[in-house]
Amino acid sequence: MKKKSFIYQTWWIGLIPMLVGFIFMIVATVIQLVPMDGVDINSVYTENASAIRDFRFIFLAAFGGTGLFIFMIGLLLIGYPKYQKVKNQRLKEQGIKISAEVIDFQGTALTVNNNRLTRLTCTAKINGTDYIFKSQPLRLNPVPFLKNDLVDVYYDLGNMKRYFVDVDGSVRDVVEL
């Protein structure tokens, strides 16, 4: 069976704007291919070729540009979680690993399906200084499943703001049926 992840996955949210943007761009492209003999611009019918070309260009820019913008937002919503995953994997491979003590498990301001997303807060002492680390948004409470009530944290010694709280790697094997 596949091990269940506690981290809330958000990449799928980008599929909706990508689909809407793609449909807008298809409509804008189809309008460019439809033959037009004349066009009604501001209640004035014209068969002027330059007026028709200008109308097509404005429609392509407005509809296709909007579609492209929405499509790019969808790509960003899909690409950012993938980038975070690669960055976290790099921190796991190259960063310094410490075990941090859990101090809090609380809800965030984010609500998905009428459930508040939660975040795990933990602390560790590094070189005599106490640091507080916060996890990514979580779906479930991982505290009962933690090994020795400690969470693995990977950080970059050059920049302490770059860290990753490895909740999934710190819990025992959990399978959701």
Side-chain angles (χ1 to χ4, degrees):
M1 290 189 194
K2 184 179 175 186
K3 187 176 176 182
K4 194 65 178 176
S5 175
F6 285 88
I7 297 172
Y8 188 76
Q9 304 296 324
T10 59
W11 65 268
W12 58 271
I13 296 170
L15 293 176
I16 295 169
M18 277 185 66
L19 179 64
V20 170
F22 184 72
I23 290 171
F24 271 49
M25 289 188 296
I26 292 295
V27 169
T29 304
V30 167
I31 291 298
Q32 300 306 308
L33 301 175
V34 172
M36 284 188 191
D37 294 333
V39 67
D40 188 10
I41 300 174
N42 293 334
S43 302
V44 177
Y45 183 78
T46 182
E47 291 185 6
N48 187 353
S50 66
I52 294 172
R53 186 183 66 240
D54 292 345
F55 172 75
R56 286 180 186 256
F57 178 72
I58 291 170
F59 187 83
L60 177 65
F63 220 71
T66 303
L68 182 62
F69 182 71
I70 294 171
F71 187 82
M72 296 303 280
I73 288 173
L75 277 179
L76 182 70
L77 289 173
I78 289 176
Y80 186 72
K82 302 293 183 189
Y83 165 75
Q84 286 289 100
K85 191 173 184 178
V86 169
K87 187 178 83 168
N88 293 342
Q89 186 64 31
R90 192 175 330 122
L91 274 173
K92 282 178 81 169
E93 293 169 357
Q94 299 173 355
I96 299 170
K97 178 182 175 182
I98 58 167
S99 292
E101 179 185 346
V102 176
I103 58 173
D104 194 15
F105 177 74
Q106 63 186 14
T108 64
L110 299 174
T111 303
V112 177
N113 295 335
N114 290 330
N115 292 325
R116 290 187 79 141
L117 295 181
T118 55
R119 206 177 280 270
L120 191 67
T121 305
C122 52
T123 185
K125 188 173 286 248
I126 303 171
N127 298 331
T129 305
D130 286 326
Y131 286 95
I132 295 175
F133 302 101
K134 294 184 179 182
S135 71
Q136 295 173 314
L138 304 172
R139 298 180 318 108
L140 302 168
N141 183 1
V143 175
F145 305 105
L146 291 174
K147 302 172 190 170
N148 302 326
D149 293 330
L150 297 174
V151 178
D152 294 334
V153 176
Y154 299 89
Y155 67 94
D156 184 5
L157 188 58
N159 184 1
M160 288 301 292
K161 291 182 180 179
R162 291 191 47 183
Y163 64 87
F164 169 58
V165 178
D166 189 16
V167 175
D168 289 339
S170 301
V171 297
R172 299 183 304 268
D173 289 339
V174 177
V175 178
E176 186 175 334
L177 300 176

